[in-house]
Amino acid sequence: MTRHRTAIALTSLLTLGAVTVGIPAVAAPTGPAVRTSAPTTAHVTEPASTVVDALDRASHRLRTVETGGGTRDLRPLDRMIGDARVVGLGEATHGSHEFFALKHRVFRHLVEERGFRTFALEAPWSTGLRLNAYVLRGEGDPRRIMREEFQRDYLWWNNTEYLALVEWMRAYNLRHPDDPVQFMGDDFAWAGPELYDEVTGYVARVHPGLLPRFTALYQGLRPTTAAGAYIEQYLRMPYAERKERADRTGQALKLLKLLKRQAPGADRAAYDWAVRHATAIDQTARGYAFDFEDPEQLRAALRFRDSVMADNVAWWAEHTGNKVLLSAHNGHVAYVPDDPVHYPKMQGAFLRDRFGDGYVSIGFTFARGSFHATGPEGEVRRFTVGPAGPGSNERTLDRVRHRDYVVDLRTAPQPARNWLRAARPTRSIGTAYPEPEYEIALARSHDVLIHLHRVEAAHLRDR
């Protein structure tokens, strides 16, 4: 999630931040988190100790964030998830080890105990396909794939924590070839060349006479540069050129959808995947085809992104039949935006519309610790923040008797339930820092909350 939107409007549509990739400066400033805007609530007070007592009764201790050993401490989370088909698991920063490590642990548990089979990441659709080819069939080197795919706005995912997850998924599939787990990306900022090859390859096999038309519509769109350079070049294109590209990808998608009527006996699965790949290409072009200098257009672009991510996850769940663990920032898996001025509707709200109670949102909070983010000068660096300030959600949450714990926000007893539904300053750190603390009502944003006492910076690769 990105702030500073007026200053970096061209990259705000990614909500991942304007990242200048360079040599990271290792730094660890201490002290409380920086607040660059005042709270919007009129009066914030430290809650009575009875709120903490109620949270004590409702919370369940987490033994560790790391994999290995038993997962008995995750069983309360099973009851909270219930029969959900999609579970959104957030993060309060894009650069802390504990969030990524616990996602790995939770996913392994859900695979082995609850029948989940897909890990979805806030990453491009084509990136997910490359990693899934490795997870399913051992194609490629995951280190190289991550290095090539997780660039610029996605560099935060090129970490040792996610590498361990991907390698575990491959090992699991070697042991369970008839019931594999899968990896998907639900975002749109980059459409890799393999997507164009999949669509034109399908057309060449099934409707070869139309191949010249698709080749013309996609002319100049198939990437010939690395992912980071591609995103940078796209953002610098004139608005009219970005709109023209979206018009062409839209024509290609419409034409492909019409082919269904002309070849009713064709392989339905192959056709559905070809249409989805063409949809992903169109999502990329359409996602850039907004006038980012117009505040209303920027707002529409941000809404478009969350709707696209939700649609991709829903399509995957419905077409594969898999239960999905969705990894994204707290803001994206939430039901209400923490910054409604810029974000009209979040991915979590779109998924709730689609699945109802079949979607469950899990948010994260943390009391103190470290993370990677982009500093004011554009450098990727390590930041450290001290204890949360008075009146914040984290200050009270950290008074609960457990160091790390999970709590169902829907069933918390009074007075904790009312307290959880009130907005208070809360850390919601994306790719850029310092950022303001936003007024967040936890129980309105999520169904379940995981609170961690301390986090440390994730281990970025290739830096």
Side-chain angles (χ1 to χ4, degrees):
M1 299 288 288
T2 295
R3 316 305 170 193
H4 314 311
R5 291 181 177 85
T6 57
I8 53 171
L10 285 180
T11 53
S12 290
L13 83 158
L14 302 179
T15 70
L16 287 169
V19 177
T20 301
V21 179
I23 301 175
V26 179
T30 59
V34 177
R35 180 181 296 156
T36 58
S37 65
T40 57
T41 51
H43 185 60
V44 179
T45 60
E46 188 71 12
S49 60
T50 51
V51 171
V52 177
D53 292 340
L55 290 172
D56 275 341
R57 298 194 302 273
S59 61
H60 301 270
R61 173 181 171 270
L62 291 177
R63 178 180 60 84
T64 181
V65 302
E66 308 295 344
T67 57
T71 59
R72 184 175 181 179
D73 58 318
L74 294 179
R75 291 178 185 173
L77 186 60
D78 293 345
R79 295 192 294 270
M80 299 173 195
I81 290 172
D83 296 326
R85 296 177 61 188
V86 178
V87 173
L89 186 53
E91 56 204 30
T93 82
H94 272 323
S96 296
H97 164 80
E98 283 73 9
F99 299 140
F100 301 143
L102 188 53
K103 290 182 183 192
H104 182 176
R105 185 175 186 236
V106 168
F107 182 63
R108 288 178 65 161
H109 173 77
L110 294 179
V111 167
E112 295 168 347
E113 303 295 333
R114 304 292 294 179
F116 278 66
R117 288 297 180 269
T118 291
F119 185 87
L121 181 62
E122 187 183 337
W125 178 264
S126 57
T127 299
L129 294 178
R130 287 191 70 187
L131 286 170
N132 201 38
Y134 169 75
V135 165
L136 288 175
R137 300 180 295 275
E139 296 177 7
D141 177 357
R143 293 168 178 79
R144 178 177 178 178
I145 295 171
M146 293 173 70
R147 182 181 308 116
E148 293 177 348
E149 296 288 333
F150 295 143
Q151 297 184 12
R152 199 181 184 277
D153 305 271
Y154 299 102
L155 68 86
W156 318 100
W157 309 152
N158 187 15
N159 58 58
T160 60
E161 291 84 357
Y162 274 153
L163 177 60
L165 169 62
V166 169
E167 290 180 330
W168 174 83
M169 293 174 72
R170 177 59 189 152
Y172 179 91
N173 286 344
L174 288 173
R175 299 192 304 271
H176 305 87
D178 298 326
D179 186 22
V181 294
Q182 299 197 62
F183 191 105
M184 76 155 293
D186 68 350
D187 210 350
F188 73 78
W190 152 255
E194 51 276 336
L195 291 185
Y196 296 87
D197 296 342
E198 289 287 345
V199 175
T200 56
Y202 175 83
V203 172
R205 294 191 304 272
V206 182
H207 300 280
L210 290 175
L211 183 59
R213 176 61 175 156
F214 277 85
T215 300
L217 289 172
Y218 286 154
Q219 184 176 3
L221 303 185
R222 187 182 187 278
T224 57
T225 62
Y230 174 89
I231 295 172
E232 191 71 33
Q233 291 169 6
Y234 221 132
L235 288 169
R236 291 177 177 174
M237 286 180 190
Y239 174 45
E241 185 175 349
R242 288 182 275 121
K243 285 189 65 178
E244 186 273 336
R245 287 183 164 216
D247 180 65
R248 286 194 279 135
T249 60
Q251 290 183 52
L253 177 59
K254 182 178 181 180
L255 180 58
L256 190 59
K257 288 181 176 179
L258 289 175
L259 297 182
K260 179 180 178 181
R261 302 175 186 173
Q262 301 174 16
D267 184 336
R268 178 58 185 268
Y271 172 79
D272 287 345
W273 280 99
V275 170
R276 201 63 201 175
H277 298 326
T279 299
I281 291 171
D282 187 55
Q283 288 171 347
T284 297
R286 206 160 299 281
Y288 288 111
F290 291 86
D291 183 357
F292 304 124
E293 295 182 0
D294 180 339
E296 287 304 313
Q297 282 279 297
L298 178 58
R299 181 177 164 87
L302 296 172
R303 186 185 193 279
F304 175 81
R305 185 194 178 208
D306 275 75
S307 70
V308 160
M309 293 193 294
D311 185 60
N312 287 337
V313 170
W315 186 93
W316 184 281
E318 291 164 354
H319 280 74
T320 65
N322 286 359
K323 290 184 177 181
V324 178
L325 181 66
L326 164 64
S327 171
H329 193 277
N330 279 348
H332 288 306
V333 302
Y335 298 123
V336 297
D338 56 16
D339 182 8
V341 172
H342 297 98
Y343 285 88
K345 189 171 181 178
M346 308 310 298
Q347 182 182 16
F350 284 110
L351 289 170
R352 173 55 64 89
D353 290 345
R354 191 78 165 256
F355 293 103
D357 292 340
Y359 173 73
V360 170
S361 174
I362 303 175
F364 270 101
T365 53
F366 72 104
R368 67 195 71 195
S370 303
F371 52 89
H372 289 295
T374 305
E377 303 303 319
E379 79 285 9
V380 176
R381 54 182 287 192
R382 178 178 177 267
F383 292 89
T384 298
V385 295
S392 66
N393 276 318
E394 294 92 342
R395 174 63 71 93
T396 298
L397 292 169
D398 209 48
R399 290 171 55 190
V400 172
R401 59 192 173 97
H402 302 306
R403 180 182 176 90
D404 301 329
Y405 61 89
V406 57
V407 59
D408 193 326
L409 303 177
R410 300 162 295 186
T411 60
Q414 296 291 15
R417 190 179 306 175
N418 285 342
W419 182 85
L420 290 164
R421 293 185 66 81
R424 292 177 183 80
T426 309
R427 287 170 175 155
S428 182
I429 299 166
T431 61
Y433 193 78
E435 290 187 349
E437 291 179 352
Y438 283 79
E439 299 284 328
I440 296 175
L442 295 172
R444 297 179 187 273
S445 297
H446 307 287
D447 300 304
V448 178
L449 180 73
I450 295 175
H451 178 75
L452 303 179
H453 174 67
R454 182 184 295 274
V455 299
E456 297 297 335
H459 303 92
L460 293 178
R461 300 179 59 252
D462 304 319
R463 301 296 302 168

